[in-house]
Every structure is written in C-alpha cells, then in structure tokens.
C-alpha cells in the first residue's frame, strides 16, 4: 500500500541562471505531479509516480532523479517512440515564472490506458493529479481511468488544475475538462486566478463557495494566494492562514510543494478530509504554506523542494 500515487507529466525544466552575456539554462527535473510526489517522499511517505518519458538522456535523468528521492518508478513508462517533454522557465524581476513548452507528440501526452500500472493505482491512500495530462488524448483518457480506479478502491482524490493555457487548444476546452473531473475530487487546491477562470467570480471567497455548492463531494477547497498564504473552505469551517515572508528568487514548484506537504499532513492524521477538525486543517495548511515559501528561495523545480526537517525547523524559528 502506497501513501501517495500521482499521475501526469514528468519533464525537464530548463531553469534560467545568472549570465552576463546571454541567457543560460540549467537542466532540472520538474512537472507538477512529479514535484508533489517528491515532496511527499521528502516528508517520509511511501510514494509512486505514474507517467511516461522518452527513453532518451532526458528521460533516463528524470527516472534516476525520482528514484534518488525514494519515489517508486515501476509505473513510469520509457518510450522509444516519443521524446521527453521540455519546458523552459522564464522569470521576471519578482521571481514569478512563465513557461515555453516543447511538447508536441511528446511522451507524457502519449500515455495509453494499457500502460497504466493498475496494481500501483489501486493500492494507494491518496491519488493526486493535475490538468496538464488532460490537455489531449491519449493521456486525457488514461488520467481519467486512473482517477476512477483509485477512487473505486477507496483512495482520497486530490486535484490541482495547475492551468497552463498555452497547452490547451482553447480556454473553453480547458474549463470544460477541468470541471468534468471535479465530481471525483475530495481535496481541491486551486489558485485565485484559476478559481476566477472556472467560476467567473471576482473574489476567491465567492468562487470557492460557488464550487462548493455545485460540487458537494469536495470536502476541502484550498485557494493559494502566493505570498498572502491560503484561504480554505471545508466541511469543518473556513478561514485564511497567512504565509511566512521570504525573499523569493524562483516560484517554480511552490504550489506543488504546498500540495505535497498538505497531503503528507493529511496522511499523518490518518483521517479522511471530511473528518478533519478545523485546528488540524489550519496546522496542516501552515506547514504547507511554509513548504511553498521555502521552495521560492531556491531556483529550480525538484532541487528546490524542502525536506520535512527544513519545514519544521523554519516553523519553529518563526
């Protein structure tokens, strides 16, 4: 039995590094579901990743990276036909990032249902996914089949839309596909911008309430607000949990660090999301905020993720 299994994209993040003459990029492992599962592994959880990379230098590097963090990669398919996805990260002066993707006919998009390692998916306490693997088939159908298999076998389903507009044919399709999977979800982590996109509401409180009324199966809605922390709407109550001030250099992976730490905290309670007391939820979110904040202080995706000890130490000092 695994604590956490994630499905989706595992890719190369080419992260910018300081250079006087011209832009220089460093190769790092990334991809939101891969980041989430790595954080949980750093928090001491038994984890596994489901996905597809090219059987090339990049794909082998990614597989080796996940394995080095203790993530089970038996469900990672190595494709001889399709290459590993590449993403170049661009940072503004405040550390906020944007992406240029090289993903046409790449391996993660071409994950077929026949390649899903069902034994792994059906034996996990928590199953996590995002929307990047739903941009097109066959990975869209494979993602949904994996969600359904995990849910039927009693897993808690967590979802972070992690919207990347450039990867969708149009915004209407993105909205439709994201809303289509919400009936499966127990815990939704979403940014305030994504919430506005899905609901049309101008405030995150109104947006969260709108989703909660429409999708009563969602036990916990977590609205991440960057440096301002997190707003939550849950069965046990609602409120806001502030983050800790840091000096960000690269926000890549911050939301994934938040999510991986939140899932780890939820697992520590041994409870379903509906069973959480408000104080428990607030404590879990506080640790998740800390993890996300610490991630922004270092460049790169997976290399920037904090350990459990770093999160605890930072919280104790602040």
């Amino acid at each position: 039995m695994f604590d956490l299994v994630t499905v989706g994209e595992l890719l190369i993040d080419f992260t910018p590094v300081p250079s006087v003459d011209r832009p220089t990029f460093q190769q790092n492992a990334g991809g939101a579901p891969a980041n989430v599962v790595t954080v949980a592994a750093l928090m001491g959880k038994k984890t596994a990743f489901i996905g597809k990379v090219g059987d090339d230098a990049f794909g082998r590097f990614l597989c080796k990276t996940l394995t080095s963090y203790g993530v089970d990669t038996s469900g990672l398919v190595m494709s001889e036909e399709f290459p590993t996805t590449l993403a170049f990260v661009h940072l503004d002066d405040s550390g906020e990032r944007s992406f240029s993707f090289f993903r046409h006919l790449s391996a993660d998009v071409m994950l077929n249902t026949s390649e899903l390692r069902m034994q792994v998916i059906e034996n996990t306490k928590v199953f996590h996914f995002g929307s990047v693997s739903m941009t097109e088939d066959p990975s869209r159908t494979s993602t949904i089949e994996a969600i359904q298999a995990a849910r039927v076998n009693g897993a808690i389903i967590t979802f972070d839309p992690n919207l990347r507009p450039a990867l969708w044919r149009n915004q209407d399709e993105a909205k439709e596909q994201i809303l289509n999977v919400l009936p499966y979800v127990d815990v939704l982590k979403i940014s305030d911008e994504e919430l506005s996109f899905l609901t049309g509401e101008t405030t995150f409180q109104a947006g969260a309430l709108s989703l909660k009324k429409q999708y009563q199966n969602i036990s916990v809605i977590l609205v991440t607000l960057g440096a301002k922390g997190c707003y939550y709407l849950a069965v046990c109550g609602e409120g806001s949990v502030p983050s800790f001030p840091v000096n960000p250099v690269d926000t890549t992976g911050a939301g994934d660090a938040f999510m991986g730490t939140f899932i780890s905290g939820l697992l520590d309670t041994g409870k379903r999301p509906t069973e959480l007391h408000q104080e428990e939820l607030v404590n879990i979110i506080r640790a998740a905020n800390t993890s996300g904040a610490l991630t922004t202080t270092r460049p790169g995706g997976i290399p920037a993720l904090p350990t459990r000890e770093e999160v605890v130490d930072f919280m104790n000092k602040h």
Side-chain angles (χ1 to χ4, degrees):
M1 176 65 72
F2 291 96
D3 293 315
L4 171 65
V5 173
T6 67
V7 67
E9 70 279 10
L10 171 61
L11 49 79
I12 297 291
D13 275 337
F14 281 111
T15 308
V17 295
S19 177
V20 176
D21 298 326
R22 57 190 182 277
T24 302
F25 293 87
Q26 181 184 64
Q27 174 181 304
N28 288 306
N35 292 340
V36 170
V37 80
T38 302
V39 172
L42 285 167
M43 299 290 156
K45 303 307 175 190
K46 185 178 181 182
T47 63
F49 178 79
I50 303 290
K52 191 171 184 176
V53 295
D55 189 7
D56 48 34
F58 292 131
R60 290 187 288 274
F61 164 78
L62 291 170
C63 181
K64 183 178 180 180
T65 299
L66 285 192
T67 302
S68 71
Y69 283 92
V71 178
D72 183 294
T73 56
S74 61
L76 178 62
V77 179
M78 307 293 290
S79 172
E80 296 182 359
E81 184 178 2
F82 302 104
T84 301
T85 299
L86 308 179
F88 285 81
V89 182
H90 311 287
L91 301 175
D92 64 18
D93 292 337
S94 65
E96 286 295 329
R97 78 278 185 272
S98 58
F99 298 91
S100 295
F101 289 96
F102 293 81
R103 194 173 177 248
H104 179 63
L105 292 179
S106 62
D108 73 286
V109 181
M110 305 308 292
L111 178 68
N112 288 293
T113 55
S114 61
E115 296 172 314
L116 294 174
R117 186 75 180 273
M118 284 300 181
Q119 185 178 6
V120 173
I121 295 168
E122 293 171 354
N123 288 281
T124 184
K125 297 174 185 176
V126 179
F127 184 86
H128 178 77
F129 71 106
S131 74
V132 170
S133 60
M134 300 192 303
T135 55
E136 55 187 295
D137 273 323
S139 62
R140 176 187 296 169
T141 299
S142 299
T143 298
I144 294 172
E145 186 161 322
I147 298 163
Q148 292 172 335
R151 186 175 179 83
V152 164
N153 285 275
I156 297 167
I157 308 298
T158 64
F159 176 44
D160 176 2
N162 197 38
L163 180 65
R164 297 287 179 262
L167 297 179
W168 293 87
R169 292 185 182 88
N170 56 69
Q171 292 195 359
D172 289 340
E173 182 185 36
K175 182 176 180 179
E176 177 186 3
Q177 292 300 326
I178 291 171
L179 292 177
N180 280 347
V181 297
L182 290 185
Y184 302 117
V185 174
D186 297 298
V187 177
L188 173 66
K189 179 263 178 194
I190 189 168
S191 71
D192 51 345
E193 295 91 350
E194 291 164 344
L195 194 57
S196 177
F197 169 74
L198 290 180
T199 66
E201 298 289 351
T202 56
T203 68
F204 56 82
Q205 293 96 334
L209 186 60
S210 173
L211 283 186
K212 189 70 179 74
K213 285 182 177 179
Q214 189 172 357
Y215 302 96
Q216 296 183 17
N217 53 284
I218 303 178
S219 305
V220 179
I221 297 176
L222 304 164
V223 185
T224 50
L225 305 170
K228 296 179 181 178
C230 174
Y231 167 80
Y232 65 89
L233 177 61
V235 172
C236 62
E238 69 171 321
S240 295
V241 182
S243 188
F244 296 95
V246 293
N247 296 315
V249 297
D250 181 358
T251 59
T252 304
D256 306 326
F258 174 98
M259 195 67 217
T261 305
F262 180 89
I263 292 170
S264 298
L266 175 61
L267 285 162
D268 286 340
T269 69
K271 296 181 176 181
R272 305 283 300 187
T274 51
E275 301 169 336
L276 291 173
H277 298 302
Q278 191 164 9
E279 184 179 357
E280 289 176 310
L281 180 59
V282 168
N283 287 336
I284 295 170
I285 294 173
R286 186 173 292 114
N289 281 345
T290 303
S291 187
L294 287 174
T295 300
T296 70
T297 63
R298 296 181 285 223
I302 286 179
L305 301 174
T307 64
R308 185 187 191 97
E309 291 72 24
E310 287 176 314
V311 171
V312 172
D313 183 61
F314 188 91
M315 291 177 67
N316 287 339
K317 291 179 178 178
H318 295 79

